[in-house]
Amino acid sequence: MGSWLRRTAELSRIRLFRLGATAVAALILVAAPALAKDWGMGAANRQIARGAVFSPVSTPASAIATLALFTLAITGAIFLTVGGLLLYSLVRFRARPNDEPREPAQIYGSSPIEFAWTAIPVLIVFVLAMTTIRTIYDVQAASEPPNAMHVRVIAHQWWWEFWYPDYGIVTANELHVPLSDPAHPTPTWLVLESADVAHSFWVPRLAGKTDVIPNKINTMWIDPHEAGIYLGQCAEFCGTEHAMMLIRVVVEPRPIFDQWVAAQRLPAAAQTAALERGRQVFQGNACASCHTVKGTFASGTYGPDLTHLMSRQTIGSGVAMNTPEHLKIWLRDPAQMKPGVLMPAMNLQENELNDLVTWMVTLK
Ligand code: CUA
């Protein structure tokens, strides 16, 4: 009987192992094609300095990181104290072979101890609440200085639109902001709106998350102290491509930022006869009803403004590096790079695709 039980247990272990191995193999098969092609993003993102919530470079993110460390220190001390006392008691008062078989002394009622274990937690909660309220107040109630720059952020499934009302320009997915000197802050004030469902704007090194909600306007601000590129993402599940709704914040010293603004204000690159065919493809298909290219009649607003497409490092909201080869793959069938994307495949012929890409790469 015993050996039969052992044999059955062994068989079910083997079955379980086989099931597990099959599941892992299936997962790898499904995930492999997606992992194999990152369209140059992995290599590009490795060039960007690492760091997340614990290496802030902007005042709101610093305030949150400080509060997080403070909370961690207090709760860590509580954990060590309680855990230490528990461990000490377990060892010191463990059962021993020659113990008498009776209950230990039962002690009830000690006003000093009861007072202590009520008062100390109340004090701790009070301190944590006060510091949290203060941080929230510092970040959310900060008044906007007169020299603040403004950006209107509009979240879409699944990309970001950035309007600069002070300059009359618009871009997508890559937010450029000027460096802010802590001695003379020049912060950027963001107004966040959604075109469809709930999203959340999060660039961990610059600020906390702010939800972007339909029919509601939220605000936040950043004042980056270090030039560089900061990665962010949508932090609220918003549909199929939620994970590919990435943000790049490009922080530049003021003169370089001003150059970027000046370039963005220009109309699209001059159109030569050689590029005419590509422009015809763009205007002759549905492209023009969803995208704007200033200087052409394309003035759609459903998709990103493409007037200065080539000034961006990535396409598809951070799904691929912006190269002519990737553009061509994207234009042939965007879903190949971003399954579920709302831009349809336009079924263009090979020569139309080539003409289109040749024209698009002039949109600097
Ligand atoms: Cu947008 Cu998640």
Side-chain angles (χ1 to χ4, degrees):
M1 191 66 187
S3 82
W4 177 81
L5 267 178
R6 264 201 303 283
R7 177 95 190 104
T8 314
E10 199 176 312
L11 270 177
S12 59
R13 258 206 305 282
I14 291 170
R15 257 185 229 125
L16 204 66
F17 176 76
R18 277 198 197 137
L19 200 71
T22 314
V24 169
L27 252 177
I28 291 172
L29 269 177
V30 170
L35 292 174
K37 274 242 171 285
D38 72 352
W39 316 103
M41 292 313 302
N45 288 346
R46 274 193 289 280
Q47 308 295 316
I48 296 171
R50 287 300 162 96
V53 285
F54 290 114
S55 48
V57 292
S58 171
T59 305
S62 299
I64 294 167
T66 308
L67 176 65
L69 286 174
F70 179 72
T71 308
L72 195 66
I74 290 189
T75 50
I78 295 172
F79 174 77
L80 289 180
T81 308
V82 174
L85 284 172
L86 186 63
L87 205 64
Y88 170 79
S89 307
L90 281 173
V91 174
R92 172 80 177 74
F93 301 110
R94 70 188 185 279
R96 291 190 173 84
N98 353 332
D99 276 353
E100 298 215 357
R102 60 174 171 82
E103 279 198 342
Q106 304 293 303
I107 300 158
Y108 298 99
S110 165
S111 299
I113 292 177
E114 283 171 14
F115 180 76
W117 76 42
T118 307
I120 295 172
V122 166
L123 271 176
I124 292 171
V125 169
F126 182 74
V127 169
L128 286 176
M130 283 298 139
T131 43
T132 305
I133 289 167
R134 207 203 135 141
T135 304
I136 292 174
Y137 187 81
D138 283 349
V139 172
Q140 295 191 348
S143 54
E144 181 188 325
N147 62 345
M149 190 182 81
H150 301 95
V151 177
R152 185 173 160 222
V153 178
I154 303 174
H156 299 257
Q157 281 176 318
W158 292 277
W159 60 284
W160 300 93
E161 187 173 7
F162 300 123
W163 287 87
Y164 294 69
D166 307 339
Y167 305 112
I169 57 177
V170 57
T171 187
N173 305 320
E174 296 178 15
L175 175 67
H176 286 245
V177 296
L179 190 62
S180 175
D181 177 2
H184 308 280
T186 47
T188 299
W189 240 252
L190 305 175
V191 171
L192 305 113
E193 299 164 51
S194 169
D196 36 51
V197 299
H199 303 266
S200 185
F201 185 90
W202 190 33
V203 184
R205 298 189 69 190
L206 299 182
K209 295 172 187 173
T210 305
D211 282 353
V212 186
I213 299 164
N215 300 317
K216 180 170 182 4
I217 292 178
N218 279 339
T219 57
M220 63 183 285
W221 59 282
I222 53 175
D223 62 340
H225 302 148
E226 275 175 40
I229 296 174
Y230 301 102
L231 299 179
Q233 64 233 357
C234 180
E236 175 80 36
F237 183 72
C238 55
T240 323
E241 282 300 343
H242 155 70
M244 276 298 167
M245 189 167 163
L246 307 175
I247 306 161
R248 298 187 151 224
V249 179
V250 183
V251 177
E252 300 158 319
R254 193 77 209 198
I256 299 176
F257 173 76
D258 287 341
Q259 279 171 23
W260 176 82
V261 169
Q264 296 291 311
R265 293 180 83 158
L266 296 174
Q271 303 302 311
T272 62
L275 299 167
E276 186 55 26
R277 285 202 315 264
R279 196 164 64 99
Q280 289 299 335
V281 174
F282 189 83
Q283 295 189 152
N285 287 278
C287 317
S289 54
C290 285
H291 296 281
T292 293
V293 175
K294 288 193 202 93
T296 72
F297 74 66
S299 55
T301 54
Y302 193 64
D305 186 304
L306 302 177
T307 311
H308 299 286
L309 172 67
M310 298 316 286
S311 70
R312 298 177 206 147
Q313 299 167 344
T314 64
I315 54 172
S317 199
V319 85
M321 288 308 283
N322 189 1
T323 65
E325 300 75 51
H326 289 164
L327 261 182
K328 193 173 164 187
I329 297 170
W330 177 268
L331 292 167
R332 178 177 286 127
D333 182 10
Q336 204 187 329
M337 285 179 162
K338 198 167 176 172
V341 64
L342 298 185
M343 173 170 158
M346 304 306 298
N347 299 315
L348 298 175
Q349 303 296 316
E350 190 68 17
N351 62 325
E352 289 177 312
L353 270 175
N354 288 334
D355 291 343
L356 185 56
V357 171
T358 307
W359 173 68
M360 292 193 82
V361 297
T362 66
L363 302 174
K364 297 230 162 74

